[in-house]
Amino acid sequence: MRFCVMLLLVTACSDKPSAPDPKQFAALGEEAKCAATLPRAKRCIDELMAQQIERLMQPASEADKQATQQLAKEMRQETSASDEAEKVHETNCAASEHYADAVVACWAEPDCRAFAACVIEKDAATLPSPSSPSPSGTAP
């Protein structure tokens, strides 16, 4: 726990936080991983949300496509408050056990657009395919 607090202090006090040490990061629990990746993800949370919306919304019509594009554009133009960005990051962590690992893997991406695309791609690569059987062995 002391390491996690120290890691947070070091990364929070920098404009460009340093990526956590891979071995130490791997040893952390899910909550600590989420906390350790907050400084990097927080800087790009609006772009990350915009790209998540674009990927999740598979518009069937041209009007839906335009509405999705407009929503993503508005998200990119806003700057989330610090507490909002933290909550979105925590939600992403809770939604995927691999999200924090994806943030670390994409840490060095130079801008938010590249960072967000990388995180989404790496996080999605860890999800089971829709055709794979459910963990209990029975289909939903």
Side-chain angles (χ1 to χ4, degrees):
M1 185 63 164
R2 186 181 297 170
F3 166 74
C4 186
V5 172
M6 184 185 258
L7 178 66
L8 282 174
L9 287 174
V10 169
T11 56
C13 295
S14 168
D15 285 347
K16 291 193 174 188
S18 299
D21 175 83
K23 286 183 182 180
Q24 292 174 333
F25 183 78
L28 297 175
E30 287 184 41
E31 262 186 60
K33 283 184 176 184
C34 189
T37 55
L38 175 63
R40 178 62 179 103
K42 191 175 176 178
R43 290 180 31 224
C44 296
I45 207 70
D46 296 309
E47 179 63 32
L48 186 59
M49 286 191 307
Q51 287 190 32
Q52 287 170 330
I53 291 293
E54 288 174 332
R55 291 183 187 225
L56 289 174
M57 310 271 287
Q58 297 297 319
S61 70
E62 186 59 34
D64 289 343
K65 183 178 179 180
Q66 289 177 357
T68 300
Q69 289 173 341
Q70 181 61 31
L71 177 60
K73 180 181 177 184
E74 289 170 8
M75 292 176 110
R76 286 181 174 107
Q77 291 173 343
E78 290 189 25
T79 301
S80 292
S82 181
D83 60 332
E84 291 174 325
E86 289 177 21
K87 285 181 173 73
V88 170
H89 177 68
E90 290 170 3
T91 300
N92 284 337
C93 287
S96 170
E97 65 185 68
H98 302 288
Y99 166 77
D101 295 319
V103 170
V104 170
C106 301
W107 199 283
E109 290 295 334
D111 60 57
C112 288
R113 189 169 288 256
F115 172 77
C118 178
V119 169
I120 291 169
E121 180 183 319
K122 291 199 180 297
D123 190 32
T126 62
L127 298 175
S129 69
S131 61
S132 65
S134 65
S136 65
T138 59

